[in-house]
Coordinates of all heavy atoms in Angstrom, one line a residue:
Chain A
N9 N 28.2 -45.4 -9.2 CA 28.4 -45.8 -10.6 C 29.2 -44.9 -11.5 O 29.6 -45.2 -12.6 CB 27.0 -46.1 -11.2 CG 26.2 -44.8 -11.5 OD1 26.1 -44.0 -10.6 ND2 25.7 -44.7 -12.7
D10 N 29.4 -43.7 -11.0 CA 30.2 -42.7 -11.7 C 31.7 -42.8 -11.4 O 32.1 -42.7 -10.2 CB 29.7 -41.3 -11.4 CG 30.5 -40.3 -12.2 OD1 30.2 -40.1 -13.4 OD2 31.5 -39.7 -11.7
K11 N 32.5 -43.1 -12.4 CA 34.0 -43.4 -12.2 C 34.7 -42.2 -11.5 O 35.5 -42.4 -10.7 CB 34.7 -43.8 -13.5 CG 34.2 -45.1 -14.1 CD 35.0 -45.4 -15.3 CE 34.5 -46.6 -16.0 NZ 33.7 -46.3 -17.2
T12 N 34.4 -41.0 -12.0 CA 35.1 -39.8 -11.4 C 34.9 -39.7 -9.9 O 35.9 -39.6 -9.1 CB 34.6 -38.5 -12.1 OG1 34.6 -38.7 -13.5 CG2 35.4 -37.3 -11.6
H13 N 33.7 -39.8 -9.5 CA 33.4 -39.7 -8.1 C 33.9 -40.9 -7.3 O 34.3 -40.8 -6.2 CB 31.9 -39.5 -7.8 CG 31.4 -38.2 -8.2 ND1 30.7 -37.9 -9.4 CD2 31.6 -37.0 -7.7 CE1 30.4 -36.6 -9.5 NE2 31.0 -36.0 -8.5
I15 N 36.5 -42.8 -7.9 CA 38.0 -42.7 -7.7 C 38.3 -41.7 -6.6 O 39.2 -41.9 -5.7 CB 38.7 -42.4 -9.0 CG1 38.6 -43.7 -9.9 CG2 40.1 -42.1 -8.8 CD1 39.0 -43.5 -11.4
V16 N 37.6 -40.5 -6.6 CA 37.9 -39.5 -5.6 C 37.6 -40.1 -4.2 O 38.4 -39.9 -3.3 CB 37.0 -38.3 -5.9 CG1 37.0 -37.3 -4.7 CG2 37.4 -37.5 -7.1
E18 N 37.3 -43.2 -3.2 CA 38.2 -44.3 -2.9 C 39.6 -43.7 -2.4 O 40.1 -44.3 -1.4 CB 38.5 -45.2 -4.1 CG 37.3 -46.1 -4.5 CD 37.6 -46.8 -5.8 OE1 38.6 -46.5 -6.5 OE2 36.7 -47.7 -6.1
Q19 N 40.1 -42.7 -3.1 CA 41.4 -42.2 -2.7 C 41.3 -41.5 -1.3 O 42.3 -41.7 -0.5 CB 41.9 -41.2 -3.7 CG 43.3 -40.8 -3.5 CD 44.3 -41.9 -3.6 OE1 44.2 -42.7 -4.6 NE2 45.2 -42.1 -2.7
I20 N 40.3 -40.8 -1.1 CA 40.2 -40.1 0.3 C 40.1 -41.2 1.4 O 40.8 -41.0 2.4 CB 38.9 -39.2 0.3 CG1 39.1 -38.0 -0.6 CG2 38.6 -38.8 1.7 CD1 37.9 -37.1 -0.9
D23 N 43.5 -42.7 1.8 CA 44.4 -41.8 2.5 C 44.1 -41.8 4.1 O 45.0 -41.5 4.9 CB 44.2 -40.4 2.0 CG 44.8 -40.2 0.6 OD1 45.6 -41.1 0.2 OD2 44.5 -39.2 0.0
E56 N 21.6 -41.5 -6.8 CA 21.0 -41.7 -8.2 C 21.9 -42.7 -8.9 O 22.9 -42.4 -9.4 CB 21.0 -40.4 -9.0 CG 20.3 -39.2 -8.3 CD 19.2 -38.7 -9.1 OE1 18.9 -39.2 -10.2 OE2 18.5 -37.8 -8.6
M57 N 21.3 -43.9 -9.0 CA 22.0 -45.0 -9.7 C 20.9 -45.7 -10.6 O 19.8 -45.8 -10.2 CB 22.6 -46.0 -8.8 CG 23.8 -45.5 -8.0 SD 24.5 -46.8 -6.9 CE 23.2 -46.9 -5.6
P58 N 21.4 -46.2 -11.8 CA 20.4 -47.0 -12.5 C 20.0 -48.2 -11.8 O 20.7 -48.8 -11.0 CB 21.2 -47.4 -13.8 CG 22.5 -46.7 -13.7 CD 22.7 -46.2 -12.3
T87 N 25.8 -37.6 -2.8 CA 24.9 -37.2 -3.8 C 25.1 -35.8 -4.3 O 25.6 -34.9 -3.6 CB 23.4 -37.4 -3.3 OG1 22.5 -36.9 -4.3 CG2 23.2 -36.6 -2.0
G88 N 24.7 -35.6 -5.6 CA 24.7 -34.3 -6.2 C 23.4 -33.6 -6.0 O 23.2 -32.5 -6.4
N89 N 22.4 -34.3 -5.4 CA 21.1 -33.7 -5.1 C 21.2 -32.8 -3.9 O 21.7 -33.2 -2.9 CB 20.1 -34.8 -4.8 CG 19.7 -35.6 -6.0 OD1 20.0 -35.2 -7.1 ND2 19.1 -36.8 -5.8
S91 N 18.4 -30.3 -3.3 CA 17.2 -29.5 -3.3 C 16.6 -29.6 -1.8 O 17.0 -30.5 -1.1 CB 16.2 -30.2 -4.2 OG 16.7 -30.2 -5.5
K109 N 28.1 -34.1 -3.2 CA 29.3 -34.3 -4.1 C 30.0 -33.1 -4.5 O 31.1 -33.1 -5.0 CB 28.8 -35.0 -5.4 CG 28.4 -36.4 -5.3 CD 28.1 -37.1 -6.6 CE 27.9 -38.5 -6.4 NZ 27.4 -39.2 -7.6
F112 N 33.8 -32.0 -2.7 CA 35.2 -32.5 -2.8 C 36.1 -31.6 -3.5 O 37.3 -31.7 -3.4 CB 35.2 -33.9 -3.4 CG 35.1 -34.0 -4.9 CD1 36.1 -33.7 -5.7 CD2 33.9 -34.5 -5.4 CE1 36.0 -33.8 -7.1 CE2 33.7 -34.6 -6.8 CZ 34.8 -34.2 -7.6
Q113 N 35.6 -30.6 -4.1 CA 36.4 -29.7 -4.9 C 37.3 -28.7 -4.1 O 38.5 -28.9 -4.1 CB 35.6 -29.0 -5.9 CG 36.4 -28.7 -7.2 CD 35.6 -27.9 -8.1 OE1 35.7 -26.7 -8.1 NE2 34.7 -28.4 -8.9
P114 N 36.7 -27.8 -3.4 CA 37.6 -26.9 -2.6 C 38.2 -27.6 -1.5 O 37.6 -28.4 -0.8 CB 36.7 -25.8 -2.2 CG 35.4 -26.0 -2.9 CD 35.4 -27.4 -3.3
L115 N 39.5 -27.3 -1.1 CA 40.2 -28.0 -0.1 C 39.5 -28.0 1.2 O 39.4 -29.0 1.9 CB 41.6 -27.3 0.0 CG 42.7 -28.1 0.7 CD1 43.0 -29.4 -0.1 CD2 43.9 -27.3 0.8
R118 N 36.9 -30.5 1.3 CA 37.4 -31.8 1.3 C 37.7 -32.3 2.8 O 37.5 -33.4 3.2 CB 38.7 -31.9 0.5 CG 38.9 -33.3 0.0 CD 40.2 -33.4 -0.7 NE 40.5 -32.3 -1.6 CZ 41.7 -31.8 -1.8 NH1 42.8 -32.4 -1.3 NH2 41.9 -30.8 -2.6
Chain B
A20 N 40.3 -26.1 -10.6 CA 39.4 -27.3 -10.2 C 40.1 -28.6 -10.7 O 40.1 -29.6 -9.9 CB 38.0 -27.2 -10.8
N23 N 43.0 -29.3 -8.4 CA 42.4 -29.7 -7.1 C 42.1 -31.2 -7.2 O 42.4 -32.0 -6.3 CB 41.1 -29.0 -6.9 CG 41.2 -28.1 -5.6 OD1 41.9 -28.5 -4.7 ND2 40.6 -27.0 -5.7
D26 N 45.2 -33.2 -7.2 CA 45.8 -33.3 -5.9 C 45.1 -34.3 -5.0 O 45.7 -35.0 -4.1 CB 45.6 -31.8 -5.3 CG 46.3 -31.7 -3.9 OD1 47.4 -32.3 -3.8 OD2 45.8 -31.1 -3.0
V27 N 43.8 -34.4 -5.2 CA 43.0 -35.4 -4.3 C 43.4 -36.9 -4.7 O 43.6 -37.7 -3.9 CB 41.5 -35.2 -4.5 CG1 40.7 -36.3 -3.7 CG2 41.1 -33.8 -4.0
V28 N 43.4 -37.1 -6.0 CA 43.5 -38.6 -6.4 C 44.9 -39.0 -6.8 O 45.2 -40.2 -7.0 CB 42.5 -38.9 -7.6 CG1 41.1 -38.6 -7.2 CG2 42.9 -38.2 -8.9
K29 N 45.8 -38.0 -6.8 CA 47.2 -38.3 -7.0 C 47.5 -39.2 -8.2 O 47.2 -38.8 -9.3 CB 47.8 -38.9 -5.7 CG 47.5 -38.0 -4.5 CD 48.0 -38.7 -3.2 CE 47.6 -37.9 -2.0 NZ 46.3 -38.1 -1.5
R31 N 46.2 -41.7 -9.4 CA 45.0 -42.2 -10.1 C 44.4 -41.1 -11.0 O 43.3 -41.4 -11.6 CB 44.0 -42.7 -9.1 CG 44.5 -43.9 -8.3 CD 43.4 -44.5 -7.5 NE 42.4 -45.3 -8.3 CZ 41.3 -45.8 -7.8 NH1 41.1 -45.7 -6.5 NH2 40.5 -46.4 -8.6
E34 N 43.7 -42.3 -14.6 CA 42.5 -43.2 -14.6 C 41.2 -42.5 -14.4 O 40.2 -42.8 -15.1 CB 42.8 -44.2 -13.4 CG 41.7 -45.2 -13.2 CD 41.8 -46.0 -11.9 OE1 42.8 -45.8 -11.2 OE2 40.9 -46.7 -11.5
M35 N 41.3 -41.4 -13.6 CA 40.0 -40.7 -13.4 C 39.6 -39.9 -14.6 O 38.5 -39.8 -15.0 CB 40.2 -39.7 -12.2 CG 38.9 -39.0 -11.9 SD 39.0 -38.0 -10.4 CE 40.1 -36.7 -10.9
G38 N 38.3 -42.3 -17.1 CA 37.0 -42.7 -16.6 C 35.9 -41.6 -16.9 O 34.8 -41.9 -17.3
Y39 N 36.3 -40.4 -16.7 CA 35.4 -39.3 -16.9 C 35.0 -39.3 -18.4 O 33.8 -39.1 -18.7 CB 36.0 -37.9 -16.5 CG 35.2 -36.8 -17.0 CD1 34.1 -36.4 -16.4 CD2 35.6 -36.1 -18.2 CE1 33.3 -35.3 -16.9 CE2 34.8 -35.1 -18.7 CZ 33.7 -34.7 -18.0 OH 32.9 -33.7 -18.5
E41 N 35.1 -41.6 -20.6 CA 34.3 -42.8 -21.0 C 32.8 -42.7 -20.5 O 31.9 -42.9 -21.2 CB 34.8 -44.1 -20.3 CG 36.1 -44.6 -20.9 CD 36.8 -45.6 -20.1 OE1 36.3 -46.1 -19.1 OE2 38.0 -45.9 -20.4
D42 N 32.7 -42.2 -19.2 CA 31.4 -42.0 -18.6 C 30.6 -40.9 -19.4 O 29.4 -41.1 -19.6 CB 31.4 -41.7 -17.2 CG 31.6 -42.9 -16.2 OD1 31.5 -44.0 -16.7 OD2 31.8 -42.7 -15.0
Y46 N 27.0 -41.2 -20.9 CA 25.8 -40.4 -20.4 C 25.2 -39.7 -21.6 O 24.0 -39.6 -21.7 CB 26.3 -39.3 -19.4 CG 26.8 -39.9 -18.1 CD1 27.9 -39.4 -17.5 CD2 26.1 -40.9 -17.4 CE1 28.4 -39.9 -16.3 CE2 26.6 -41.4 -16.2 CZ 27.7 -40.9 -15.6 OH 28.2 -41.4 -14.4
Q64 N 18.4 -38.8 -15.4 CA 19.2 -39.7 -14.7 C 20.7 -39.7 -15.2 O 21.6 -40.0 -14.5 CB 18.7 -41.1 -14.8 CG 17.8 -41.5 -13.7 CD 17.2 -42.9 -13.8 OE1 17.6 -43.6 -14.7 NE2 16.4 -43.3 -12.8
H67 N 22.3 -35.7 -14.8 CA 22.7 -35.5 -13.4 C 24.1 -35.9 -13.0 O 24.9 -35.0 -12.6 CB 21.7 -36.2 -12.4 CG 22.0 -36.1 -11.0 ND1 21.7 -35.0 -10.2 CD2 22.7 -36.9 -10.2 CE1 22.1 -35.1 -9.0 NE2 22.7 -36.3 -8.9
P68 N 24.6 -37.1 -13.3 CA 26.0 -37.4 -12.9 C 26.9 -36.8 -13.9 O 28.1 -36.5 -13.5 CB 26.0 -39.0 -13.1 CG 24.9 -39.4 -13.9 CD 23.8 -38.3 -13.7
K70 N 26.6 -33.8 -15.0 CA 26.8 -32.4 -14.4 C 27.8 -32.4 -13.2 O 28.7 -31.7 -13.2 CB 25.4 -31.9 -13.9 CG 25.4 -30.6 -13.1 CD 24.1 -30.4 -12.4 CE 24.0 -31.4 -11.2 NZ 22.7 -31.2 -10.5
S71 N 27.5 -33.3 -12.3 CA 28.3 -33.3 -11.0 C 29.8 -33.7 -11.3 O 30.7 -33.1 -10.7 CB 27.7 -34.0 -9.9 OG 27.3 -35.3 -10.2
A72 N 30.0 -34.7 -12.1 CA 31.4 -35.2 -12.4 C 32.1 -34.0 -13.2 O 33.3 -33.8 -12.9 CB 31.4 -36.4 -13.3
F74 N 31.5 -30.7 -13.1 CA 31.9 -29.7 -12.1 C 33.1 -30.1 -11.3 O 34.0 -29.3 -11.0 CB 30.7 -29.3 -11.2 CG 29.7 -28.3 -11.8 CD1 28.4 -28.6 -11.8 CD2 30.2 -27.1 -12.3 CE1 27.5 -27.6 -12.3 CE2 29.3 -26.2 -12.8 CZ 28.0 -26.4 -12.8
G75 N 33.1 -31.3 -10.9 CA 34.2 -31.8 -10.1 C 35.6 -31.7 -10.7 O 36.6 -31.4 -10.1
L76 N 35.6 -31.9 -12.1 CA 36.9 -31.8 -12.8 C 37.1 -30.4 -13.4 O 38.1 -30.2 -14.1 CB 36.9 -32.8 -13.9 CG 37.2 -34.3 -13.5 CD1 37.3 -35.1 -14.8 CD2 38.5 -34.4 -12.7
K93 N 13.7 -32.5 -15.4 CA 12.9 -32.6 -14.1 C 11.6 -31.8 -14.2 O 10.6 -32.2 -13.6 CB 13.8 -32.1 -13.0 CG 14.9 -33.1 -12.6 CD 15.7 -32.6 -11.4 CE 16.5 -33.8 -10.8 NZ 17.4 -33.4 -9.8

Side-chain angles (χ1 to χ4, degrees):
Chain A
N9 70 314
D10 179 81
K11 293 188 188 99
T12 307
H13 288 105
I15 290 170
V16 169
E18 282 174 355
Q19 188 63 49
I20 290 172
D23 288 347
E56 304 240 359
M57 293 181 286
T87 174
N89 290 345
S91 303
K109 282 186 176 174
F112 76 78
Q113 212 187 93
L115 199 60
R118 202 186 320 148
Chain B
N23 243 325
D26 186 41
V27 176
V28 300
K29 308 176 183 79
R31 297 187 71 186
E34 181 192 350
M35 185 173 71
Y39 167 78
E41 286 166 11
D42 277 353
Y46 295 138
Q64 271 181 0
H67 175 83
K70 172 196 71 180
S71 49
F74 272 130
L76 283 187
K93 283 186 168 174

